[in-house]
Amino acid sequence: MAPRTEEQFERIREERKKLIMDTALELFANDGFYSTSISKIASKAGISKGLLYNYFDSKEELIKEIAYKGFDQLFSTFDQNKDGILTQEEFEYFINEMFDMIEKNIHYWRLYFTLILQPPVLNIIMDKVHETYTYFFNMMENYYKQKNIDNPRIKAMMFGGLIDGIGFHYMIEPENYPLEKVKHEIIETFK
């Protein structure tokens, strides 16, 4: 058997890191941040604690990376061409992508809502939350200014609160929540 190449080692490293993050995400979302230990993550992932520590220095670092990755993934679909101006087409694309992500990655969104409701855990990721929310609300405010909406900041805040509420309700009972119908209504009401 030939020795592994750098590319093979990197692929293995990325696969293990993904396994750790996916396992931690599921445990954090279902059991809570404080109830989930590094030992529990390693055991469920089928690896040793020592190996886990080769990838993450702490549970706090792990939660940060999971949260940051989710924020980056979601907001990569916002203002697709990154010109700082949100068009109606980009707005609709973002809504469609966001609802798709909510539906396909329920563990991440459960984690998101539990983080938001736990101030000590929220403090771990607060810099990214603040950065992301500032970017989002400024972009939405400018979008509504372009449309000559009265109180564009308030409209942006209402939109953000509504999106959070929809996500929260979907997390509670996903099998009975009419996500597709709600998505279409959001697009019609807030575009």
Side-chain angles (χ1 to χ4, degrees), residues 81-146:
N81 62 5
K82 304 297 180 220
D83 66 355
I85 300 168
L86 189 65
T87 66
Q88 184 169 327
E89 293 78 23
E90 288 172 320
F91 173 80
E92 289 180 27
Y93 179 78
F94 171 71
I95 296 298
N96 282 308
E97 289 296 305
M98 181 187 60
F99 275 70
D100 189 51
M101 286 180 204
I102 288 171
E103 193 170 22
K104 288 182 178 170
N105 198 351
I106 198 163
H107 287 302
Y108 177 80
W109 296 103
R110 275 196 184 120
L111 175 64
Y112 168 78
F113 287 111
T114 60
L115 292 178
I116 297 301
L117 297 173
Q118 297 177 63
V121 184
L122 178 60
N123 284 335
I124 296 169
I125 62 165
M126 194 57 186
D127 289 345
K128 185 69 168 183
V129 169
H130 180 72
E131 171 192 316
T132 303
Y133 279 19
T134 300
Y135 169 73
F136 174 79
F137 284 116
N138 287 342
M139 188 73 76
M140 289 304 302
E141 181 179 13
N142 288 333
Y143 176 72
Y144 290 126
K145 277 182 185 174
Q146 292 169 22

Side-chain angles (χ1 to χ4, degrees), residues 162-176:
L162 183 61
I163 294 300
D164 282 345
I166 289 166
F168 183 76
H169 285 281
Y170 180 73
M171 296 304 108
I172 293 170
E173 200 172 12
E175 59 280 345
N176 293 321

